[in-house]
Amino acid sequence: MIYLILSLFVLAIIAMLAGYIRNKRLQGQLERGEITELPTLKQVEDSACCGQHEVCEKDSLLAAVSKQIEYYNDEELDLFKGRNAADYAEREVEEFREVLYTMQETEVAGWVRSLQLRGITLPDQLKDEVFLIIGERRGA
């Protein structure tokens, strides 16, 4: 047990020394004009999943994943806030369908989450189509 703790301590010291040497080397290159600025961390592309979850949060339909309401050029759907899923007329279902089929497949799960956060229930007639799109995306 003592060897394990000692090994971890030595490894931490080696990592600190390597970081210190790297920073000194970069600072020297900056002063000599070999580089114009110190390197920074790159942000992960938004369209890619982070890989830290069993199911990508971007594909999740749960409103608890994100509390931020995002509009998908669908502000007109706010009129249906509080409506029961079975009470939509065919004309109203077509409004939802138009929004659904004008967005990219990668946006569908976020759109459904946004509807939930806004208090808008997806019409029953569209639920199978939405689940099919999201299911195909998860399987890919």
Side-chain angles (χ1 to χ4, degrees), residues 21-94:
I21 292 169
R22 177 183 178 273
N23 285 342
K24 281 293 187 188
R25 184 176 297 147
L26 286 172
Q27 192 65 37
Q29 289 176 344
L30 185 64
E31 290 171 0
R32 291 189 300 273
E34 295 175 15
I35 58 175
T36 57
E37 61 184 36
L38 293 174
T40 59
L41 293 176
K42 294 181 181 177
Q43 294 294 323
V44 175
E45 188 177 316
D46 192 33
S47 66
C49 192
C50 66
Q52 294 181 353
H53 306 93
E54 188 173 334
V55 175
C56 185
E57 289 182 355
K58 294 180 72 71
D59 291 337
S60 177
L61 297 176
L62 300 174
V65 169
S66 172
K67 294 294 183 196
Q68 181 178 358
I69 294 175
E70 186 174 344
Y71 283 89
Y72 292 82
N73 218 7
D74 64 344
E75 293 81 4
E76 69 276 6
L77 298 180
D78 285 341
L79 296 172
F80 303 117
K81 184 176 183 176
R83 182 81 76 80
N84 189 340
D87 293 342
Y88 289 102
E90 191 58 38
R91 174 185 52 78
E92 296 168 333
V93 173
E94 285 305 315

Side-chain angles (χ1 to χ4, degrees), residues 6-22:
L6 186 59
S7 297
L8 288 174
F9 182 71
V10 170
L11 185 61
I13 290 175
I14 291 172
M16 287 183 355
L17 283 173
Y20 178 77
I21 292 169
R22 177 183 178 273

